[in-house]
Amino acid sequence: MSDAQPPLVSMAEQFTGLPMGDLIGAPLLAAAKANSAMAATQTKFLLDTCFAKETTDDGKDHYQPVLIKMTLSRGVLVPVDPSQPDQEPTISEVKTTFDLPLLTILPLNSLAVDDVSIGFDMEVKSSFSETTNEKTEEALSAQSSFSAKVGYGVFSAEVSGSVSYDSASSSSRDTHYEKSNSAQYSVKVHAGQIPLPQGVTTIIQAFTNSISPIEMPVYGEAG
Amino acid sequence: MFTQINCPNCQQPIAINVKRLVAGDSFSCKGCSAKISLAGESSNVVTKAVNSFEKVAAQAKH
Ligand SMILES: [Zn+2]
């Protein structure tokens, strides 16, 4: 009887037909291509706009960062002259200029492809058909009536024992026939924004750190 | 268009709206109340850079 059971489908086989490579790969590839194009654009923009190119005598290109002038102003407390104790301390505004590389004020990392998310759910279920179950039940009832006949005239205990055996068998088959398998796949692929290349970040950090310190006037030296 | 630079006085980050900076606005440091702005002599250079940056950024959206 168990030979009649249809085989459960192979989950792996069901998914083989799906073009997984295309489903996940195509959008990612498109995003990667766009990002790579943007990286080239970033570099070109960086060199063309934020650097001044000089070609040396030996024909080599030399890039100097374009510097812009910034003004920093802040209030400075002017201390009281010890010889004039009646004087009130005053706050005077001091202006200083400092150079800043142009590239530090442009949000270069916004020149990148936004986040890419690919998500889909797949589910494949496999179970036995109803017709198979019906056939099985008929077979079982025939078997149980057969058991009753066999048991007739023999010890009652033996008959009931036989029936209970059949019933147990039937219920165990039920369980067996209801067996199904299912597979659920949730595919989530996420590609985030590419940060600035480490080299660029390092250069910007170096520039930022080397902003020339401002000179504050010292009482008695001003003038 | 936003960016940030570290305050030359106290190293605290100062958020800057680049377009407003080009327009002449100044930005205050939260750490030491210093104000930074673009010096007039660099206005042209930064305006040109901002314009070409915006062109590149607009291409990126396509
Ligand atoms: Zn500060």
Side-chain angles (χ1 to χ4, degrees), chain B residues 7-12 14 29-34:
Chain B
C7 173
N9 190 46
C10 72
Q11 300 301 313
Q12 287 252 4
I14 306 174
C29 169
K30 281 185 183 143
C32 67
S33 300

Side-chain angles (χ1 to χ4, degrees), chain B residues 2-24:
Chain B
F2 287 89
T3 190
Q4 67 174 46
I5 65 165
N6 289 355
C7 173
N9 190 46
C10 72
Q11 300 301 313
Q12 287 252 4
I14 306 174
I16 289 173
N17 178 330
V18 183
K19 298 209 91 176
R20 299 302 320 157
L21 182 78
V22 173

Side-chain angles (χ1 to χ4, degrees), chain A residues 4 32 38 41 54 60 79-80 89 94 98 105-107 109 111 120 122 126 130-131 149 158 169 178 200 203 209:
Chain A
M38 279 321 299
T41 313
E54 280 173 24
K60 282 180 181 164
V80 177
V94 176
F98 61 96
I105 66 154
L106 296 169
N109 55 344
L111 293 181
F120 52 88
M122 306 183 292
S126 159
E130 251 180 81
T131 45
K149 251 187 212 165
E158 206 174 328
S169 161
E178 276 165 24
V200 178
I203 290 171
N209 292 345

Side-chain angles (χ1 to χ4, degrees), chain A residues 38 41-42 45 49 66-75 93 97-98 100 102 104-108 110-114 205 208-209 211-214 216, chain B residues 1-9 11 16 18 21 32-42 45-46 48-50 52-54 56-61:
Chain A
M38 279 321 299
T41 313
Q42 258 184 21
F45 173 82
T49 312
V66 172
L67 296 174
I68 57 168
K69 286 235 177 296
M70 302 286 290
T71 305
L72 180 139
S73 58
R74 64 171 300 207
E93 191 171 78
T97 57
F98 61 96
L100 196 65
L102 176 59
T104 58
I105 66 154
L106 296 169
L108 287 168
S110 68
L111 293 181
V113 171
D114 291 342
Q205 195 52 50
T208 311
N209 292 345
I211 292 173
S212 24
I214 61 163
M216 303 308 285
Chain B
M1 192 192 290
F2 287 89
T3 190
Q4 67 174 46
I5 65 165
N6 289 355
C7 173
N9 190 46
Q11 300 301 313
I16 289 173
V18 183
L21 182 78
C32 67
S33 300
K35 278 188 244 167
I36 61 164
S37 57
L38 185 64
E41 59 199 283
S42 289
V45 179
V46 181
K48 268 170 126 182
V50 167
S52 67
F53 180 87
E54 283 188 324
V56 173
Q59 282 168 16
K61 301 284 173 207

